[in-house]
Amino acid sequence: MPAPTRRSFLALGALGGLLSVCGCTDDHDKNARPTAEDADRPLRQRQLAATDALLADYDAVIAASPADAARLGDLRDDVLQHREALAQSLPASSPAASASASTAAARTVAELAASERRTAGRRLADLADASPALARTLASVAASGAAHAAALGDTGPIADDGPPPSASPSPTASAAPSGSASPAAMRAADVEALQAALAAEHAAVYGYGVVGAFLPVGPQREDGRAAYAAHQARRDAWQRLLAAGGASPAAAAPGYRLPFQVKDAATAGRLAAHLETQLTAAYADLCATTALRARAAAALRECALRAARWGADLPALPGLAAADPAPSASAT
């Protein structure tokens, strides 16, 4: 092979410089591909703006009603945790600075409750376009916002979630399959997550059978019956969806071991709260799917609301925070 000449060195040097200036390298092309983090960035920024506006509403209502400061302060702390979860991978920013730049609309607790409900709807509006990880966070934050709104007296529907306006808002209505996604198009991971949710519903149906046996006649027993029917309906809906997609729905276990002994109305209510809280984790995982995301978010919200009604101390991020061990199933 002949030795390279000075002219060939100059030519190679010029070509290398041209590639360097143009950035035309294989490594550059690979690194230029957008990541899920890049795609999520506009959604996260939009959600941060909505969170800062909600924080400004809290500050305005707390300032106008000092008597409610303690109660509202706990809810505001949850919203700060929402902000932290939504701000992941974004440059650090101060919520106080962002909030002070806007004019708070809420001046009463009722207006603050409505603001919580509207903001929960904004979370769900971005659900379809979010990455699986961000979708789980958005659904959890929306469920928390719905629980906040209910605690403040606003139990209105959450936009972009649940049954259509013309449908009855009963617990069983939103449990039925809806949407345009075909069961046959579900990925294996979606089927696996749905099977896990179905198994959790089997346990919940069993658990509510125990709960109902210890509740006295009255509003509590009616709440227990409504929850029992809702979980039966959702269990049946998931079974139909799996069967339509060619999968064998997971069967209920022969028996279930409860996390503690139920012996009166108080422990029955505690078990109901425990069951609903555990279900939020199953539905947070289901929110990471594509075909079932909206329905999973609806289920997550309903479980969070029922858990709160049964007296559960909901975490700021239902379904994402560490929870007690779920009731385990064992053959009897």
Side-chain angles (χ1 to χ4, degrees):
M1 178 178 177
T5 64
R6 180 174 181 276
R7 180 177 296 178
S8 65
F9 273 123
L10 291 174
L12 289 171
L15 179 59
L18 179 61
L19 291 174
S20 177
V21 171
C22 296
C24 300
T25 65
D26 290 340
D27 289 341
H28 177 83
D29 290 340
K30 292 177 182 177
N31 294 333
R33 294 174 183 174
T35 64
E37 185 177 295
D38 295 330
D40 280 342
R41 187 168 290 114
L43 276 64
R44 288 186 182 276
Q45 291 172 335
R46 183 160 56 246
Q47 292 299 330
L48 279 184
T51 306
D52 288 344
L54 183 58
L55 286 170
D57 284 347
Y58 267 97
D59 291 340
V61 175
I62 289 172
S65 181
D68 294 315
R71 175 172 64 126
L72 298 181
D74 290 340
L75 301 182
R76 187 184 186 280
D77 288 343
D78 284 353
V79 179
L80 283 174
Q81 292 187 54
H82 299 166
R83 190 184 196 283
E84 182 179 352
L86 293 167
Q88 289 183 9
S89 76
L90 293 180
S93 62
S94 168
S98 299
S100 62
S102 63
T103 302
R107 289 293 183 271
T108 66
V109 171
E111 290 175 348
L112 178 59
S115 182
E116 276 277 20
R117 179 170 53 83
R118 288 192 302 271
T119 305
R122 293 190 181 100
R123 313 302 192 193
L124 298 168
D126 280 337
L127 200 63
D129 297 326
S131 68
L134 180 56
R136 293 177 77 247
T137 300
L138 289 174
S140 177
V141 172
S144 180
H148 286 182
L152 296 173
D154 190 331
T155 57
I158 306 297
D160 294 298
D161 193 12
S166 59
S168 169
S170 66
T172 57
S174 58
S178 61
S180 59
S182 168
M186 284 197 300
R187 301 176 305 168
D190 294 1
V191 172
E192 183 180 355
L194 185 55
Q195 293 279 28
L198 173 58
E201 288 292 1
H202 282 312
V205 169
Y206 175 89
Y208 267 104
V210 176
V211 168
F214 288 90
L215 294 177
V217 175
Q220 258 198 331
R221 176 173 286 186
E222 293 306 312
D223 286 346
R225 285 178 176 172
Y228 180 70
H231 288 297
Q232 283 183 314
R234 201 175 291 281
R235 174 203 63 189
D236 295 346
W238 295 151
Q239 287 175 327
R240 290 192 298 270
L241 190 58
L242 284 163
S248 298
Y256 291 87
R257 185 172 65 249
L258 299 178
F260 49 82
Q261 183 181 5
V262 178
K263 54 186 178 180
D264 51 26
T267 51
R270 182 183 162 206
L271 176 60
H274 176 87
L275 292 169
E276 299 292 354
T277 302
Q278 295 302 320
L279 278 165
T280 62
Y283 285 122
D285 289 340
L286 195 58
C287 287
T289 66
T290 51
L292 304 170
R293 188 170 289 179
R295 278 168 277 178
L300 172 57
R301 188 189 74 248
E302 290 174 10
C303 291
L305 289 171
R306 277 194 293 264
R309 283 198 295 270
W310 286 113
D313 185 12
L314 279 179
L317 296 167
L320 304 187
D324 296 333
S328 54
S330 58
T332 59

